[in-house]
Amino acid sequence: MTVHEQLTETKFGMGAALPIPGYQVERKIAEGGTAEVFEGREALGSRKVAIKVLHSRLLNSKPEYKRLVTEGEIGCKLAPHPNVVETIGFGKASQRPFVVLELLPGQTLREVLRERNQLTEREIFKLARAVGTGLKFLHDQKIFHKDVKPENVMLDGQGMIKIIDLGFGECQAGLNFNFLGRRLDGSPSYMAPEYIRSKKPSAATDLYALGCMLYEAAAGRTPLMGASDKEVLGKQLNMGIRPAPIGELNKSLS
């Protein structure tokens, strides 16, 4: 039986321990609006893993359900890469989809920026190289991430930088907001104008998001800000609005 077949046969209920054949679930390590994340270990080895499970209340939410299934499907097709989280397996248990991922140490870039507001110039160059390399790997496989942002980059402080969350890659489901009569995937502060207009992702739209993220890491704020998603998206489309020069917001950069 393959790992995927084992995962698909798994059954568990609300509040119960999470029995996954081939893995020993140890503790919950995170919980968000979409999923719970558990730390586990391979039953026949010492490797630790992260197990991401859709909240039961979202079983009837087609976009969120599809997003987690997509994350597993895309991730399992990829060869290991030093700048992209490794997907080990995925399946469905009691109708709840879940994904088994490598357990990454450290923090997301968002957590780092909350603590420090800005990165050093050397850290910014390192971040650009690592995330750019990871995106090139995905693009070479004809996969567009569609949600590059600080929440989706992991750092361990020792040199590891990895892109996480492939849930929007090649996924047609929408998320949370509607603009110009269309539902859009991703996060407004990092969306390229051409994607907002056409909803057609490309390598360029991922690189635009990377540029916005690097601006934020350097300046301590996103390039274009607003009181609502709609306002931010409107500013992204307005070529007459320019972000403040980074040098004005961070005097320490060359």
Side-chain angles (χ1 to χ4, degrees):
M1 180 180 290
T2 67
V3 171
H4 174 62
E5 288 170 338
Q6 289 176 332
L7 292 173
T8 302
E9 288 191 354
T10 303
K11 301 293 181 183
F12 61 93
M14 289 291 292
L18 196 62
I20 295 183
Y23 298 94
Q24 177 182 343
V25 177
E26 298 181 344
R27 64 191 179 97
K28 183 187 289 189
I29 55 176
E31 182 170 358
T34 301
E36 301 172 281
V37 183
F38 298 85
E39 179 180 322
R41 186 187 300 272
E42 291 177 334
L44 300 179
S46 59
R47 184 183 188 185
K48 289 195 171 185
V49 298
I51 304 166
K52 186 175 180 181
V53 188
L54 183 72
H55 278 304
S56 58
R57 66 175 180 272
L58 294 176
L59 284 177
N60 294 322
S61 172
K62 292 183 180 179
E64 301 298 355
Y65 191 102
K66 176 62 176 176
R67 180 179 176 183
L68 194 59
V69 170
T70 298
E71 182 175 357
E73 290 175 341
I74 289 179
C76 282
K77 294 177 183 177
L78 299 174
H81 187 277
N83 300 119
V84 178
V85 65
E86 180 183 356
T87 304
I88 299 167
F90 73 101
K92 185 168 65 175
S94 297
Q95 304 306 310
R96 294 170 65 185
F98 60 89
V99 182
V100 181
L101 305 157
E102 67 173 313
L103 183 64
L104 298 175
Q107 300 173 291
T108 65
L109 176 58
R110 171 62 66 215
E111 291 170 323
V112 173
L113 292 177
R114 284 191 184 123
E115 293 177 358
R116 297 172 43 195
N117 194 42
Q118 298 166 337
L119 300 186
T120 66
E121 187 166 308
R122 183 175 181 179
E123 289 171 329
I124 293 166
F125 280 126
K126 190 173 183 179
L127 177 67
R129 181 183 295 276
V131 177
T133 300
L135 287 176
K136 183 180 186 305
F137 168 73
L138 293 176
H139 297 161
D140 286 345
Q141 318 303 312
K142 308 303 181 185
I143 295 169
F144 308 126
H145 189 281
K146 294 169 66 176
D147 200 22
V148 177
K149 59 182 179 179
E151 288 83 351
N152 288 336
V153 176
M154 286 291 297
L155 308 88
D156 70 352
Q158 305 299 317
M160 183 278 289
I161 301 176
K162 294 200 178 195
I163 300 168
I164 64 173
D165 198 344
L166 303 176
F168 283 138
E170 299 183 344
C171 176
Q172 298 304 309
L175 174 70
N176 293 334
F177 55 89
N178 186 293
F179 188 73
L180 299 180
R182 295 185 300 277
R183 293 184 68 81
L184 298 171
D185 303 330
S187 303
S189 294
Y190 311 90
M191 281 187 181
E194 68 272 21
Y195 174 69
I196 298 171
R197 292 191 185 96
S198 69
K199 201 184 174 185
K200 294 180 180 179
S202 68
T205 56
D206 277 349
L207 293 179
Y208 181 95
L210 172 59
C212 292
M213 186 177 74
L214 294 173
Y215 179 104
E216 183 176 3
R221 46 164 281 188
T222 53
L224 300 171
M225 303 177 69
S228 66
D229 289 341
K230 184 176 181 179
E231 183 179 348
V232 173
L233 291 168
K235 288 183 176 180
Q236 297 280 29
L237 290 172
N238 187 341
M239 296 295 101
I241 298 178
R242 298 296 184 188
I246 293 176
E248 294 180 2
L249 302 173
N250 187 345
K251 303 295 185 181
S252 70
L253 299 180
S254 63

